[in-house]
């Protein structure tokens, strides 16, 4: 990742505290197996800059970027690596998923050192002209001898309730063997384009290719691989104070979604990354304006 982009992320997205937070009287969410992480955005224009520039790293593996012209890469990404139709209405454009997905990629990379297993851009099909299917991130972290697959989710809406409703409409599927295994098989289709070579996941893909009868979840357990499912929630700051903006998230989840059970059989953890920002719509419109004016990306 470009040093200038790393610096911008570190300057703009500031860690505030973990949940639970006894001092603020805020619990973690009822489904979090790890502490939830709470951040603040110092400047909404810089958030837009992060989104605009992260399109490149989100779309391409590192070896695809080295030595290439950033302006050209940015243009190719918008045409061939994510859903963006320049002739669509403004109402349609601001609903595109890439706004949140590129932020999830960059935050996991910079804040948690989770490196991309493979760029998400490989999974977009311009013929379908649809949002890319699967988890919203495919990243990997070696943590004290355990390989962690950081396969995450992101929602970026004005209302926190809209984002949470969407998360919990799909979380049962996301935390199931069937969905997890299908994502691994989708990665197998691009195994020659893996960004990280000689990982445990590559060995599992090779074993499955030789014997497709094996159950991928069992192989994951055998290799002591863990799924980490971070859920990035971006929503509009309602200007009632930072703690109140955070507190309403675990309260809403407890009120609306208690009692869910998940069928995923491998070791996994779940936590939320909460980032209220000012003027969600304006942030997205800034990115759209820069895309259409072909603003030069950071070097």
């Amino acid at each position: 990742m470009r040093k200038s982009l790393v610096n911008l992320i570190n300057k703009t997205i500031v860690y505030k505290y973990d949940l639970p937070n006894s001092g603020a009287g805020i619990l973690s969410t009822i489904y979090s197996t790890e502490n939830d992480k709470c951040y603040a955005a110092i400047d909404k224009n810089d958030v837009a800059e992060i989104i605009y520039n992260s399109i490149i790293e989100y779309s391409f593996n590192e070896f695809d970027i080295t030595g290439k012209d950033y302006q050209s890469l940015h243009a190719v990404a918008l045409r061939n690596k994510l859903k963006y139709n320049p002739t669509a209405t403004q109402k349609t454009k601001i609903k595109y998923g890439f706004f949140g997905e590129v932020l999830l990629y960059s935050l996991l990379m910079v804040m948690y050192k989770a490196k991309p297993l493979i760029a998400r851009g490989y999974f977009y099909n311009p013929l379908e002209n649809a949002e890319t299917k699967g988890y919203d991130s495919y990243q990997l972290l070696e943590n004290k001898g355990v390989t962690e697959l950081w396969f995450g989710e992101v929602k970026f809406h004005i209302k926190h309730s809209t984002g949470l409703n969407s998360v919990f409409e799909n979380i049962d599927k996301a935390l199931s063997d069937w969905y997890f295994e299908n994502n691994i098989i989708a990665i197998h289709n691009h195994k020659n384009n893996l960004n990280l070579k000689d990982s445990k996941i590559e060995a599992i893909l090779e074993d499955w290719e030789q014997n497709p009868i094996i159950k991928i979840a069992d192989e994951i357990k055998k290799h002591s691989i863990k799924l980490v499912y971070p859920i990035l929630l971006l929503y509009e700051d309602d200007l009632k104070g930072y703690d109140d903006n955070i507190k309403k998230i675990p309260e809403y989840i407890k009120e609306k979604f208690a009692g869910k059970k998940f069928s995923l059989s491998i070791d996994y953890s779940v936590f939320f990354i909460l980032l209220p920002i000012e003027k969600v719509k304006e942030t997205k419109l800034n990115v759209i304006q820069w895309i259409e004016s072909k603003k030069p990306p950071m070097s």
Side-chain angles (χ1 to χ4, degrees), residues 40-239:
I42 300 302
D43 186 287
K44 68 178 184 301
N45 291 324
D46 284 344
V47 173
E49 282 279 5
I50 294 168
I51 295 170
Y52 183 74
N53 282 278
S54 295
I55 287 171
I56 294 174
E57 277 83 354
Y58 164 88
S59 299
F60 299 99
N61 284 333
E62 185 178 354
F63 56 77
D64 296 319
I65 297 173
T66 304
K68 302 289 180 60
D69 175 71
Y70 292 128
Q71 186 87 58
S72 297
L73 287 171
H74 204 273
V76 171
L78 290 166
R79 184 67 180 86
N80 194 38
K81 298 295 184 179
L82 53 82
K83 184 178 181 181
Y84 187 82
N85 180 359
T87 66
T89 65
Q90 183 183 100
K91 184 178 180 180
T92 296
K93 289 175 183 174
I94 63 174
K95 293 179 181 178
Y96 286 150
F98 79 87
F99 295 103
E101 290 172 13
V102 301
L103 264 178
L104 176 64
Y105 164 84
S106 288
L107 293 186
L108 295 185
M109 179 77 171
V110 174
M111 305 298 189
Y112 300 93
K113 312 304 179 189
K115 297 180 179 179
L117 176 63
I118 185 171
R120 281 266 292 154
Y122 281 107
F123 298 88
Y124 176 70
N125 185 342
L127 291 175
E128 291 182 353
N129 191 32
E131 296 286 359
T132 306
K133 305 296 191 297
Y135 294 111
D136 289 338
S137 66
Y138 294 122
Q139 289 169 248
L140 183 147
L141 179 65
E142 297 291 348
N143 185 9
K144 299 177 182 178
V146 176
T147 298
E148 297 179 344
L149 299 176
W150 285 57
F151 291 180
E153 179 83 10
V154 59
K155 299 299 176 185
F156 193 177
H157 298 277
I158 293 174
K159 294 182 178 180
H160 70 284
S161 57
T162 305
L164 288 172
N165 291 345
S166 183
V167 166
F168 283 94
E169 283 173 6
N170 295 293
I171 196 169
D172 304 77
K173 179 179 73 173
L175 296 177
S176 69
D177 283 358
W178 172 84
Y179 189 74
F180 174 78
E181 290 182 350
N182 280 351
N183 274 262
I184 296 296
I185 292 169
I187 291 172
H188 173 270
N189 292 338
H190 302 279
K191 66 185 180 68
N192 294 329
N193 296 313
L194 292 179
N195 190 57
L196 300 175
K197 299 297 182 181
D198 302 320
S199 66
K200 289 181 181 178
I201 198 68
E202 189 172 10
I204 290 172
L205 292 175
E206 291 174 357
D207 289 345
W208 180 82
E209 185 173 313
Q210 295 299 318
N211 183 12
I213 297 174
I214 64 173
K215 186 171 173 57
I216 290 174
D218 291 339
E219 295 300 304
I220 291 288
K221 295 173 197 173
K222 187 186 302 182
H223 287 268
S224 300
I225 297 174
K226 177 181 180 180
L227 172 68
V228 178
Y229 187 60
I231 305 168
L232 173 60
L233 190 69
L234 300 130
Y235 53 101
E236 188 141 316
D237 184 340
D238 62 12
L239 305 180

